[in-house]
Amino acid sequence: MGKWPPGTSRGSRAHARSHVTRLGTRMGGAPRPEFRAELRERLTNAAREDLAGADEPAEPAVPARRARHRRRGRRGVRARCPRPGPLYRLVSAVLVAVMLVAGLATYRSMPGETLYPLKRAAESTLFHLSADEAERADRSFGYAETRAHEVEELLGSSRREKRLIRQTLKDMEDTTRSAVSSLTRVRRRDVRDSRQLKRFVQKQRNQIEGMLPKLDVEDQRRANGYLHYIIQLAPPG
């Protein structure tokens, strides 16, 4: 045994040794037979399982950290490629429809309406995105015709705001002068340009002459000056 505590007498030591000896004899030093039989059965079964596992091909060991990364990667791929459901398709269709309706409303907007500045901004963007001066001239002629239609609509409206009519007439004239300047810079005088310019002048002349009786004195003066300007643009013959 280990060391005895200080102050332990020899008689106490002898009595303790005698008590431990009797206890060991009473309990027995060897394990019980049923314990040995159960231990033998467990060892035999474990050996059989080891032999059976040795015949099967072992899977390559994957580190725990790499396995976690693989699982995260699969989850990330699934998260990045969601399958569009019925609600997603419905929302997409609604957004497309709203954009089409908004675009049509913007295209048909008139001076003084909420969407009209957006219409003019879109025209300006297309004008500056034109490839060359000839394309800018074509767009400007088209915008001038649009301004003429807008003046007709304003004159037929019940409100007939003079401020809007006057400003639209001015925009029509400025756009036409811009188209003519673009054609002058490219110096195009082919048959196609002559026909296009003649058609534009004739259409504008018919529209403006029909508007004259409905305009006030100041607007009539501006419209007549515009007519004189575009008549000079028409090629002879």
Side-chain angles (χ1 to χ4, degrees):
M1 320 182 43
K3 295 182 179 180
W4 295 94
T8 305
S9 62
R10 292 182 179 180
S12 298
R13 296 176 185 177
H15 178 71
R17 290 193 185 98
S18 176
H19 181 71
V20 170
T21 301
R22 289 196 303 271
L23 182 61
T25 304
R26 187 178 304 171
M27 295 181 61
R32 292 176 297 173
E34 55 271 18
F35 174 77
R36 287 183 291 179
E38 184 179 356
L39 179 61
R40 186 183 302 108
E41 184 178 358
R42 290 184 178 181
L43 293 175
T44 303
N45 292 337
R48 290 175 181 174
E49 291 177 359
D50 292 340
L51 291 176
D55 296 336
E56 299 178 357
E59 296 183 357
V62 180
R65 182 179 300 177
R66 188 181 301 174
R68 288 195 298 269
H69 285 313
R70 288 181 180 178
R71 289 195 295 270
R72 292 175 182 173
R74 295 192 187 99
R75 288 197 298 268
V77 171
R78 288 195 295 269
R80 288 193 298 269
C81 302
R83 293 183 178 179
L87 181 60
Y88 176 83
R89 292 193 291 269
L90 177 61
V91 172
S92 300
V94 171
L95 289 177
V96 171
V98 170
M99 292 176 63
L100 290 176
V101 172
L104 184 60
T106 302
Y107 175 76
R108 293 182 176 180
S109 61
M110 295 295 297
E113 296 181 355
T114 304
L115 294 177
Y116 188 74
L118 184 60
K119 175 182 178 179
R120 297 298 302 272
E123 291 178 355
S124 177
T125 301
L126 291 176
F127 176 82
H128 288 94
L129 289 177
S130 301
D132 51 26
E133 294 294 339
E135 186 176 351
R136 291 189 180 94
D138 292 340
R139 292 189 183 278
S140 296
F141 282 134
Y143 297 155
E145 293 181 359
T146 301
R147 301 290 88 79
H149 287 298
E150 291 172 354
V151 173
E152 288 181 336
E153 292 290 335
L154 291 173
L155 290 174
S157 175
S158 57
R159 299 174 61 182
R160 294 189 59 175
E161 297 186 18
K162 293 183 179 181
R163 175 182 58 85
L164 296 177
I165 295 174
R166 190 165 301 162
Q167 181 62 44
T168 308
L169 282 172
K170 181 179 183 301
D171 293 340
M172 178 182 64
E173 182 177 354
D174 293 343
T175 305
T176 303
R177 291 183 181 276
S178 174
V180 174
S181 298
S182 298
L183 285 181
T184 303
R185 282 193 290 269
V186 296
R187 301 180 183 279
R188 294 178 60 181
R189 293 294 184 270
D190 54 15
V191 177
R192 175 181 174 276
D193 290 337
S194 299
R195 289 177 179 176
Q196 179 186 10
L197 188 57
K198 185 176 181 179
R199 181 194 62 82
F200 170 79
V201 170
Q202 186 63 40
K203 186 175 181 179
Q204 289 286 91
R205 181 177 179 179
N206 293 336
Q207 286 182 306
I208 300 303
E209 288 178 349
M211 298 177 192
L212 287 175
K214 302 177 183 180
L215 298 173
D216 59 15
V217 177
E218 184 176 352
D219 292 337
Q220 283 182 356
R221 188 181 301 110
R222 177 180 292 276
N224 282 319
Y226 178 73
L227 279 175
H228 182 71
Y229 171 71
I230 63 175
I231 288 174
Q232 292 178 347
L233 298 176

